[in-house]
Amino acid sequence: MSDCIFCQIVQGRANCHRVYEDDEVLAFLDIFPVSPGHVLVIPKEHAVDIFDLEETSAQAVARVARKVAYAVEETLRPDGLMVAQLNREAAGQTVFHYHMHLIPRAAGDSMAMHTRVPGDPGEMAGIASRLVVALEH
Ligand code: AMP
Ligand code: ZN
């Protein structure tokens, strides 16, 4: 979909800090990270939400989310890792291309789902490249 920001990222028409890619799935850093290392995992094929998602895409995203979770664990050593996925506006969904959030959590931090503060590009580039290395082995 040409007006979908995540489709634009898949097509290389918008930038992202990519951490993993295969034929079906792309994982990249959230531009407004709730915490450093906040990753989004998306199917390359556009689907609005879980109700619009092919079963094969659901499986592919779940597999990559698990893979990236291990890379985040190894690289950033968070106290916890939140996996979240919002469907429809009433549930807080703001980008209507299915995605899974992986959000590193520190003990005692606030449980916010969204922030409007952009991540520091240098810090994000550094985290993305560390995750890429962790995902290569
Ligand atoms: P949701 O509210 O679950 O739909 O989450 C959408 C997420 O996409 C939010 O956390 C946004 O910060 C994030 N986001 C929006 N635009 C971009 C972008 N261009 N690159 C990376 N993340 C984005
Ligand atoms: Zn899309």
Side-chain angles (χ1 to χ4, degrees):
M1 280 182 72
S2 58
D3 59 347
C4 169
I5 181 62
F6 287 179
C7 282
Q8 289 172 15
I9 288 173
V10 168
Q11 292 156 7
R13 294 193 290 124
N15 292 328
C16 73
H17 293 280
R18 185 174 60 220
V19 303
Y20 179 85
E21 180 168 15
D22 63 25
D23 289 348
E24 295 163 293
V25 179
L26 180 66
F28 54 96
L29 296 185
D30 194 302
I31 199 88
F32 296 115
V34 172
S35 63
H38 180 171
V39 176
L40 301 176
V41 184
I42 71 169
K44 287 187 170 176
E45 189 171 307
H46 182 87
V48 175
D49 57 25
I50 196 166
F51 306 108
D52 187 37
L53 189 67
E54 295 293 339
E55 187 173 337
T56 50
S57 289
Q59 290 168 338
V61 168
R63 191 172 58 243
V64 170
R66 179 177 176 279
K67 191 190 272 286
V68 174
Y70 275 96
V72 170
E73 172 78 348
E74 179 187 323
T75 306
L76 303 175
R77 296 266 163 221
D79 294 330
L81 182 69
M82 185 164 112
V83 178
Q85 196 276 305
L86 312 180
N87 298 283
R88 303 184 184 144
E89 212 172 331
Q93 186 175 6
T94 59
V95 174
F96 296 91
H97 178 131
Y98 180 89
H99 54 279
M100 208 171 261
H101 296 258
L102 300 185
I103 305 178
R105 290 289 185 190
D109 71 6
S110 77
M111 291 295 286
M113 254 316 297
H114 294 108
T115 150
R116 294 193 181 283
V117 185
D120 174 73
E123 184 189 27
M124 289 176 73
I127 290 172
S129 52
R130 288 167 65 200
L131 292 177
V132 167
V133 169
L135 282 156
E136 275 169 355
H137 63 253

